[in-house]
C-alpha cells in the first residue's frame, strides 16, 4: 500500500511540534482519499515522547533513535534518516511543517531523494492520483493549485492549515536504529540560550495581538501584551516596531518576518502596509484600532475602531475582564 | 575571506503587478524586478564581515538575461563582482533544479562562506539553500542572527534563532548560512558605489559552461506543475466604528463574541 509520510518535528523539550499534529491530521485525510496508509517518522536522540504523540494521529510511526541528534542541528540529520526510510519511489508523498526546521528538512530531503517540493501549502487535497496543493501567492492576490508531475513529492505545510484531530485508534510504533553513517556534515550546537520573556511562537497562535509604530514604545507593548494575555493569544509586531527595538525580531509579521494565519488578528496602531499585509491577510478575522480612518488596513480589516489606542485598549481590557466575570 | 551571496531578482512586491503568464508561470516581464528583500540582508551581513576583516564578495544569481540590471544595485551596495547563470533551458525551473544549478555554479568557485536569504518573495519557500548545502555536502546553518567567522581556526559560529531564544552553532568553513533580518538593515548604495558598480564584472554562465547536463534541469524536467489558479475569496465588508473609547471597546467584544472567537 502507498504511504503518505509526515515528518515529526520536535519542540525543545522533545514533545511533538504543533505543526506536525496538523500535518499528521492532513496526512490521514489524504491517505483515506488515496487508499493509502498515513505514517510518521520521528528522528531524535530520544524520539519516544514525540513518537507516542504522533501515533495518536497516524496508523504507523517509525521512531528512529539517533544518538548523533544530541548536540547537533536536527534538520539535516533528520532529512538523511527520512530519506533512508522512504526510499526513492517518485510517487511518495511527504508532509512537513513550513517553519524553519521543516524548510531545512524539505530542501535537504529533495536533494537527497530527487523528489520535488511544493511550499507553504494552505490546503492539500487528493486529486488524480496525487496531492493537489493550494498556495497563496503574490502577496495573497492569487491562489494556485499545483501538483507533482510524478504524483509524489515533498510538501511544506503552513501552521493552522487544518485543525489537528487525533485518530480513533492509536498507531503502532516501530522503533528503529539509523541504518548507516551520515553523509551530510553534522553541525554542532555548542550552547542553547533561552531568552528571558521569550514569547509564544506566533505562527501557531490562535489569536495574535499585534502592535505597530502607533504603540509608541516598549511600554506600549506592555499594553499589547495585556490584551494578548486577556485573549490567551500571542504578541506580534510590525517591522517599524521591531526596528525601533521595542520587541524582538521573532515577533515580526510580514514579508521579511513571519506569515501567520490566526483565527483573530488584532492590529493596534498598525497602518497595514503591503509588506505587513502579506504576513497576516489570511487571518480569519482582522480587527484594527487606528486613529486614522484612512489607514490602508481599513481596506481589508473586518472591523475598524477609529480612535486612540491608548484610550480604546484600556477600555477593551475592562470590557474583556467584565465579560470573563 | 571570499563570501558568495545568493541573490535572486524577483518582481517588486511593492509594485503589486505580479501575474502569471498563459503557461501559469510567473510573467517576469509584467513587473519591475528588484533584488529579493531577504537577500539584501545576506549581502549586508557579507559586507560587514568583509569590512571587518577583508575579503571579496561574489553575487551568484540564476535568472533570465535581464537579471543583470537588478544585480547592479547589489553591486552598488559594495559586492565585488557578480555571476549570473542564464540559460533558456532554465525557465520554469523547480526547487530541485534551481538548487542543482546553483550548486554546480558554486562547485566552480573557492569560497569560505555562502550566504543566502531566508526565502524569496515570489513564492519561494526557503528550501533552495538547504538543497544546495546537501548537494555540496556543506555544513548548513540557518535562521542566523549573528555570524562570526574565525579565519585562524577556519571555523564559523552562528546564532540560530529558536522559538525560545537562540542556539550557538559551530562548523568548519566552507559553510552555507541562511540569514535573517536580525543581522541588520541593508545599506543604501552610495553615489560612489553606484558609479563603481557600472564597471564591475558580471560574468554570464550557461549550463554548458558549468558542465551541467541540461536533461534533468529546467522547466521541461520540472517536478511540479500549476493545475489551476483562482482569486482568493473576497473579505467581507469592513465595519467602521467611531465613538467613545468605551463604545469602541464594546464593539470589539461584541464582534468577537458574535464570531465565537471569545
Ligand atoms: C523590503 C521591505 C520589507 C518589509 N518587510 C516588512 C515586514 O516583514 N513586516 C512589516 O510589518 N513591515 C515590513 N516593511 C515595512 C512596511 O513597509 C511598513 O513601513 C511597516 O509595516 C509600517 O509599520 P507600522 O504599521 O507599525 O507603522 P506606520 O506605517 O507608521 O503606521 C502606524 C499606524 O498607527 C496609527 N497610530 C499612531 N498612533 C496611534 C494611536 N495612539 N492610536 C491608534 N493608532 C495610532 C497611525 O494612524 C498609523 O496608521 C518592509 C518594508 C520593506 C521596504
Ligand atoms: N534563482 C536563484 N538565484 C540565486 N539565489 C537563489 C535563487 N533561488 C533561491 N536563491 C537563494 O535561496 C534563498 C531562498 O530561496 P527560496 O528557497 O526560493 O525561497 C533566496 O533568498 C536566495 O538567497
Amino acid at each position: 500500500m502507498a504511504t503518505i509520510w509526515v515528518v515529526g518535528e520536535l519542540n525543545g523539550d522533545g514533545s511533538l511540534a504543533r505543526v506536525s499534529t496538523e500535518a499528521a491530521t492532513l496526512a490521514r485525510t489524504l491517505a483515506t482519499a488515496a487508499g493509502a496508509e498515513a505514517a510518521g517518522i520521528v528522528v531524535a536522540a530520544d524520539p519516544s515522547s514525540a513518537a507516542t504523540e504522533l501515533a495518536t494521529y497516524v496508523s504507523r510511526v517509525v521512531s528512529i533513535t539517533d544518538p548523533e541528534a544530541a548536540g547537533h542541528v536536527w534538520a539535516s540529520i533528520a532529512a538523511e534518516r527520512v530519506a533512508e526510510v522512504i526510499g526513492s519511489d517518485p510517487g511518495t508523498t511527504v508532509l512537513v511543517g513550513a517553519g524553519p526546521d521543516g524548510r531545512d528538512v524539505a530542501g535537504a530531503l529533495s536533494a537527497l531523494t530527487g523528489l520535488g517540493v511544493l511550499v507553504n501549502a494552505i490546503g492539500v487535497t487528493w486529486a488524480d492520483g496525487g496531492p493537489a496543493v493550494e498556495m497563496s501567492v503574490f502577496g495573497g492576490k492569487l491562489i494556485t493549485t499545483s501538483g507533482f508531475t510524478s504524483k509524489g513529492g515533498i510538501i511544506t505545510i503552513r501552521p493552522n492549515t487544518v485543525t489537528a484531530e487525533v485518530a480513533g485508534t492509536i498507531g503502532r510504533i516501530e522503533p528503529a536504529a539509523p541504518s548507516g553513517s551520515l553523509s551530510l556534515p553534522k553541525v554542532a550546537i555548542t550552547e542553547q540560550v533561552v531568552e528571558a520573556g521569550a514569547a509564544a511562537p506566533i505562527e501557531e497562535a490562535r489569536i495574535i495581538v499585534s502592535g505597530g509604530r502607533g504603540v509608541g514604545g516598549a511600554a506600549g507593548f506592555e499594553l499589547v501584551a495585556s490584551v494578548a494575555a486577556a485573549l490567551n493569544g500571542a504578541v506580534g509586531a510590525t517591522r517599524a516596531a521591531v526596528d525601533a527595538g521595542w520587541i524582538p525580531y521573532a515577533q515580526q509579521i510580514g514579508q521579511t518576518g513571519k506569515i501567520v494565519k490566526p483565527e483573530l488578528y488584532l492590529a493596534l496602531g498598525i497602518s497595514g502596509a503591503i509588506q505587513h499585509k502579506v504576513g497576516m491577510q489570511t487571518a480569519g478575522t482582522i480587527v484594527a484600532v487606528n486613529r486614522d480612518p484612512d489607514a490602508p488596513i481599513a481596506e481589508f480589516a473586518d472591523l475598524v475602531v477609529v480612535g486612540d489606542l491608548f484610550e480604546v485598549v484600556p477600555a477593551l481590557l475592562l470590557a474583556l475582564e467584565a465579560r470573563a466575570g | 575571506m571570499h563570501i558568495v551571496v545568493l541573490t535572486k531578482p524577483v518582481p517588486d512586491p511593492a509594485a503589486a503587478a505580479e501575474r502569471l503568464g498563459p503557461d501559469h508561470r510567473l510573467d517576469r516581464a509584467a513587473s519591475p524586478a528588484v533584488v529579493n528583500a531577504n537577500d539584501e540582508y545576506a549581502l549586508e551581513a557579507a559586507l560587514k564581515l568583509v569590512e571587518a576583516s577583508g575579503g571579496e564578495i561574489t553575487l551568484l544569481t540564476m535568472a533570465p538575461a535581464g537579471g543583470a540590471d537588478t544585480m547592479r544595485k547589489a553591486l552598488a551596495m559594495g559586492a565585488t563582482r557578480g555571476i549570473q547563470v542564464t540559460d533558456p533551458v532554465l525557465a520554469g525551473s523547480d526547487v530541485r533544479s534551481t538548487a542543482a544549478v546553483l550548486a554546480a555554479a558554486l562547485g566552480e568557485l573557492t569560497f569560505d562562506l555562502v550566504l543566502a536569504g531566508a526565502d524569496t518573495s515570489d513564492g519561494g519557500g526557503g528550501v533552495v539553500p538547504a538543497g544546495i548545502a546537501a548537494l555540496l555536502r556543506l555544513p548548513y546553518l540557518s535562521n542566523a542572527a549573528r555570524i562570526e567567522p574565525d579565519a585562524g581556526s577556519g571555523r564559523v559560529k552562528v546564532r540560530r534563532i529558536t522559538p525560545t531564544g537562540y542556539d550557538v552553532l559551530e562548523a568548519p568553513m566552507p559553510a552555507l548560512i541562511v540569514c535573517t533580518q536580525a543581522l541588520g538593515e541593508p545599506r543604501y548604495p552610495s553615489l560612489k558605489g553606484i558609479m563603481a558598480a557600472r564597471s564591475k564584472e558580471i560574468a554570464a554562465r550557461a549550463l554548458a559552461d558549468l558542465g551541467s547536463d541540461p536533461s534533468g534541469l529546467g522547466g521541461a524536467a520540472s517536478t511540479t506543475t500549476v493545475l489551476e489558479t483562482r482569486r482568493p475569496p473576497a473579505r467581507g465588508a469592513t465595519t467602521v466604528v467611531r465613538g467613545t473609547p468605551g463604545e469602541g471597546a464594546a464593539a470589539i467584544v461584541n464582534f468577537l463574541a458574535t464570531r465565537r472567537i471569545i
Side-chain angles (χ1 to χ4, degrees):
Chain A
M1 184 161 41
T3 308
I4 312 280
W5 293 100
V6 53
V7 180
E9 296 168 56
L10 287 81
N11 297 317
D13 62 0
S15 60
L16 188 66
R18 198 181 112 166
V19 72
S20 299
T21 65
E22 295 167 356
T25 305
L26 187 53
R28 215 170 65 229
T29 312
L30 293 176
T32 305
E37 181 183 42
I41 308 180
V42 177
V43 181
D46 177 6
S48 52
S49 118
T52 305
E53 206 184 326
L54 192 52
T56 62
Y57 293 91
V58 292
S59 52
R60 178 183 157 216
V61 175
V62 181
S63 171
I64 302 176
T65 302
D66 191 341
E68 307 262 34
H72 291 108
V73 173
W74 175 80
S76 58
I77 297 176
E80 199 157 351
R81 298 310 180 204
V82 170
E84 287 165 10
V85 172
I86 66 171
S88 58
D89 174 4
T92 302
T93 297
V94 186
L95 308 186
V96 63
D101 282 348
R103 293 169 161 205
D104 291 352
V105 168
L109 189 59
S110 167
L112 293 168
T113 59
L115 288 171
V117 193
L118 287 167
V119 296
N120 297 330
I122 56 167
V124 187
T125 55
W126 197 262
D128 279 339
V133 181
E134 283 200 347
M135 296 173 274
S136 165
V137 299
F138 303 154
K141 274 198 307 197
L142 201 65
I143 293 175
T144 59
T145 304
S146 297
F148 294 104
T149 51
S150 67
K151 302 293 180 198
I154 303 158
I155 307 169
T156 70
I157 313 281
R158 283 257 167 87
N160 294 334
T161 291
V162 299
T163 306
E165 222 174 285
V166 295
T169 54
I170 291 181
R172 65 180 191 282
I173 296 179
E174 297 170 7
S179 68
S181 55
L182 293 164
S183 73
L184 300 183
K186 294 176 295 191
V187 172
I189 302 175
T190 57
E191 201 186 338
Q192 295 193 288
V193 179
V194 175
E195 280 178 326
I202 47 174
E203 297 101 312
E204 301 188 348
R206 193 178 75 88
I207 292 179
I208 295 177
V209 183
S210 243
R213 202 191 309 270
V215 163
F221 264 93
E222 282 168 28
L223 200 56
V224 178
S226 330
V227 185
L231 291 169
N232 215 350
V235 177
T238 65
R239 174 161 149 186
V242 171
D243 282 349
W246 301 341
I247 181 154
Y249 168 59
Q251 309 311 113
Q252 181 177 315
I253 291 162
Q255 187 189 320
T256 44
K258 290 177 176 150
I259 313 274
V260 296
K261 191 189 168 211
E263 240 176 83
L264 169 65
Y265 193 86
L266 177 51
L268 305 173
I270 292 177
S271 64
I274 176 82
Q275 296 92 347
H276 187 71
K277 182 184 174 191
V278 298
M280 44 66 75
Q281 65 191 336
T282 58
T285 294
I286 299 172
V287 176
V289 178
N290 200 308
R291 269 195 317 221
D292 174 8
D294 298 321
I297 199 161
E299 286 161 28
F300 58 94
D302 300 292
L303 174 69
V304 178
V305 171
V306 181
D308 187 329
L309 72 93
F310 293 102
E311 294 170 1
V312 176
V313 171
L316 176 62
L317 283 169
L318 286 177
L320 287 170
E321 210 173 287
R323 196 183 142 81
Chain B
M1 166 118 50
H2 182 205
I3 305 178
V4 180
V5 182
L6 305 180
T7 54
K8 184 184 179 190
V10 295
D12 185 357
E18 310 98 326
R19 59 181 163 89
L20 295 181
D23 55 357
H24 281 173
R25 282 185 192 156
L26 178 63
D27 180 354
R28 291 194 185 272
S31 8
V34 294
V35 179
N36 178 45
N38 279 327
D39 300 350
E40 290 195 351
Y41 291 100
L43 175 53
E44 178 62 33
L47 289 166
K48 287 206 183 86
L49 291 175
V50 163
E51 278 161 4
S53 42
E56 297 192 331
I57 297 170
T58 300
L59 306 173
L60 176 58
T61 292
M62 176 185 115
D69 293 339
T70 315
M71 199 184 249
R72 290 277 168 217
K73 187 200 162 193
L75 286 170
M77 284 171 69
T80 318
R81 69 181 74 79
I83 299 175
Q84 166 151 312
V85 184
T86 301
D87 200 297
V89 169
L90 292 175
S93 286
D94 62 0
V95 165
R96 211 183 33 93
S97 167
T98 304
V101 170
L102 292 172
L106 285 168
E108 294 203 306
L109 306 173
T110 311
F111 52 82
D112 301 287
L113 292 175
V114 180
L115 302 190
D119 57 19
T120 39
S121 58
D122 60 352
V127 293
V128 164
I132 297 171
L135 291 171
L136 295 173
R137 303 293 191 256
L138 285 174
Y140 174 75
L141 303 87
S142 64
N143 229 11
R146 184 180 290 189
I147 303 172
E148 296 168 322
D150 178 28
S153 66
R155 298 179 72 81
V156 60
K157 265 195 201 176
V158 161
R159 270 192 192 188
R160 180 179 198 264
I161 301 173
T162 63
T164 49
Y166 60 90
D167 288 350
V168 181
L169 314 182
E170 212 186 301
M173 296 190 279
L176 188 153
I177 301 173
V178 182
C179 299
T180 66
Q181 181 198 313
L183 284 158
E185 195 62 13
R187 66 195 61 191
Y188 287 100
S190 64
L191 197 58
K192 203 170 134 231
I194 294 169
M195 299 300 286
R198 291 191 184 154
S199 56
K200 285 180 181 170
E201 175 201 2
I202 299 180
R205 313 286 280 147
L207 282 183
D209 301 323
L210 303 178
S212 294
D213 174 7
S215 66
L217 301 173
S222 177
T223 52
T224 62
T225 169
V226 178
L227 305 169
E228 196 182 287
T229 66
R230 63 181 167 88
R231 301 209 155 272
R235 292 198 78 94
T238 306
T239 309
V240 179
V241 175
R242 296 164 204 258
T244 65
E247 286 161 0
I252 295 175
V253 170
N254 288 338
F255 195 77
L256 299 186
T258 311
R259 294 197 168 198
R260 298 185 182 280
I261 293 169
I262 54 172

